[in-house]
Amino acid sequence: MTEQQFGPVTQWLSGMPKAELHLHIDGSLRAPRLLQLGKKHGVSLPYGSVEEVEAAYNFSDLQSFLDLYYLGASVLRDAEDFYLLMKDYLQVCRVQNIVHCEIMVEPQTYLPQGVELGVVLEGFDRAIAEAKSGWGQSVGLILSFLRHLPEADCLEMLKAADPYRAHFCAIGLASAERDFPPAGFQTLYREAADRGYALTAHAGEEGPPGFIRDALQLLSVTRIDHGVRATEDEDLLHQLAADRVPLTVCPLSNVRLCVYDTLSEHRIFDLLGRGLCVTVNSDDPAYFGGDLLENFAALEAGLGMTKEQALLLVRNSFEAAFLQSDEKLSLDARLQDYLARNP
Ligand code: ADE
Ligand code: ZN
């Protein structure tokens, strides 16, 4: 969907200041850049053209996506690559008025290629500094761990990140969910809490609602990435609403990874209507067919999203952000200003 084809609510949202809280930076690596960097480093890829890359992005579940996602990320080798990757995504933020973003960085992904965290952050820092000074972009980085790897490896990475502690606002837990429950990462989360990180984790995407409960109870997370399978557990829904635990929901991702057959089955507006702090996010936009606005556009086209619902989702994105209260107040003020001019 191009911007000209957006419905009226999404057009109204396009100029509105917004936050995106669930974005894997490797998932923003688009086909042209993937091919360019693959060529640069002589990485052999099973694609010869942008069309062939996009044709391969036809997933049956989370694992079938992750296989191509890690293959794609294997082209990232030097600080310049990481600079370009971050710059590309921050340009999307600029165009779509995503004034604050929280970005998942997964350093364990780059270790097999011998790329250390310092190299990754050198590239990211340069792009973030340019976006901050260029147009006042606000950025938080989330140190995200790969749950298909042993907890001991994650702990090693947590320690390797100690010299870069100030770069990250939080830790997260991603990758294959079903066979790697939250219970296996309690030491990691305790150690991260001791270091002062905020805590989030993917839970209830493919995994059962019990994984959401365990992420809250065993890992002490204050936010849940995805969490859509909470709809299967009435008591959990009450708890999430009462505690205003944010869910970073990713509608296009859920359809492309077959969590739902079609968007019309998505329960995002039931969750919102029941008082949960639901937010909208793009997850891996290069793989799932759209950035943040395209996710909103899909909700408008497929589920009839109203202006009131859209505004609630944007307000929730500020409430759910890992920011200080004065920073949230300043985002609210920018939103009020936009609403005064664009009622
Ligand atoms: N890594 C990148 N995207 C992911 C997703 N949707 N779920 C789990 N891990 C991921
Ligand atoms: Zn994700």
Side-chain angles (χ1 to χ4, degrees):
M1 202 176 309
T2 65
E3 197 158 338
Q4 287 77 18
Q5 294 165 322
F6 287 163
V9 179
T10 306
Q11 284 181 29
W12 178 63
L13 279 173
S14 70
M16 187 183 290
K18 300 173 284 297
E20 171 154 66
L21 307 178
H22 184 158
L23 180 286
H24 302 261
I25 195 66
D26 296 335
S28 71
L29 177 62
R30 284 176 204 272
R33 186 70 80 199
L34 168 71
L35 293 172
Q36 177 210 342
L37 298 181
K39 199 166 161 201
K40 170 180 166 187
H41 297 295
V43 179
S44 126
L45 295 167
Y47 327 108
S49 65
V50 167
E51 291 71 30
E52 281 179 35
V53 178
E54 285 167 358
Y57 292 172
N58 192 3
F59 310 115
S60 52
D61 58 8
L62 176 56
Q63 189 60 54
S64 65
F65 153 70
L66 290 170
D67 293 342
L68 295 194
Y69 169 80
Y70 294 125
L71 175 68
S74 73
V75 305
L76 299 161
R77 300 289 171 99
D78 61 32
E80 177 73 10
D81 303 345
F82 292 101
Y83 164 74
L84 292 171
L85 178 68
M86 183 60 76
K87 182 170 94 93
D88 290 346
Y89 171 64
L90 295 176
Q91 279 297 340
V92 171
C93 291
R94 182 182 201 176
V95 170
Q96 296 206 346
N97 287 298
I98 301 167
V99 297
H100 174 69
C101 56
E102 294 179 5
I103 300 173
M104 289 178 224
V105 176
E106 291 161 356
Q108 289 168 296
T109 299
Y110 316 124
L111 291 182
Q113 289 74 246
V115 181
E116 300 289 340
L117 180 56
V119 171
V120 177
L121 291 176
E122 182 190 331
F124 287 168
D125 279 354
R126 182 150 69 93
I128 293 168
E130 285 176 8
K132 279 187 180 163
S133 65
W135 61 91
Q137 182 67 46
S138 165
V139 181
L141 297 183
I142 298 174
L143 178 61
S144 179
F145 294 91
L146 303 184
R147 66 201 307 163
H148 66 269
L149 298 176
E151 188 186 36
D153 291 13
C154 300
L155 279 161
E156 210 175 296
M157 178 49 74
L158 181 71
K159 287 177 187 144
D162 280 341
Y164 308 102
R165 171 66 190 86
H167 281 72
F168 296 101
C169 59
I171 70 152
L173 190 62
S175 194
E177 183 185 7
R178 264 190 304 231
D179 295 331
F180 303 97
F185 297 91
Q186 296 178 68
T187 308
L188 175 69
Y189 272 71
R190 210 174 317 113
E191 291 264 342
D194 287 346
R195 287 163 163 79
Y197 288 96
L199 308 174
T200 183
H202 283 55
E205 178 187 20
E206 278 194 344
F211 284 16
I212 302 174
R213 290 179 180 280
D214 284 352
L216 293 167
Q217 280 165 19
L218 304 179
L219 306 185
S220 303
V221 304
T222 60
R223 190 163 98 187
I224 296 284
D225 295 314
H226 293 291
V228 288
R229 288 195 60 193
T231 55
E232 297 164 34
D233 184 331
E234 201 52 36
D235 289 344
L236 178 60
L237 285 176
H238 282 294
Q239 183 192 334
L240 293 171
D243 296 343
R244 292 286 291 165
V245 176
L247 304 186
T248 61
V249 173
C250 308
L252 288 176
S253 163
N254 292 154
V255 176
R256 294 293 288 269
L257 299 187
C258 308
V259 175
Y260 301 103
D261 288 338
T262 65
L263 195 71
S264 59
E265 289 163 38
H266 207 291
R267 302 278 302 278
I268 184 168
F269 293 121
D270 295 340
L271 296 168
L272 190 69
R274 293 179 63 134
L276 277 81
C277 184
V278 179
T279 67
V280 174
N281 308 271
S282 67
D283 205 6
D284 302 286
Y287 291 85
F288 301 148
D291 292 295
L292 183 59
L293 270 183
E294 284 75 14
N295 274 269
F296 278 113
L299 294 178
E300 183 175 7
L303 290 171
M305 177 181 68
T306 65
K307 275 179 99 168
E308 291 69 28
Q309 289 170 326
L311 184 56
L312 214 47
L313 289 164
V314 170
R315 286 197 198 285
N316 285 348
S317 74
F318 295 161
E319 178 183 337
F322 290 133
L323 289 173
Q324 303 300 317
S325 44
D326 60 326
E327 295 170 310
K328 292 189 187 188
L329 284 176
S330 109
L331 291 177
D332 286 337
R334 286 175 73 172
L335 177 58
Q336 280 312 115
D337 183 54
Y338 179 80
L339 293 172
R341 289 180 288 106
N342 302 273

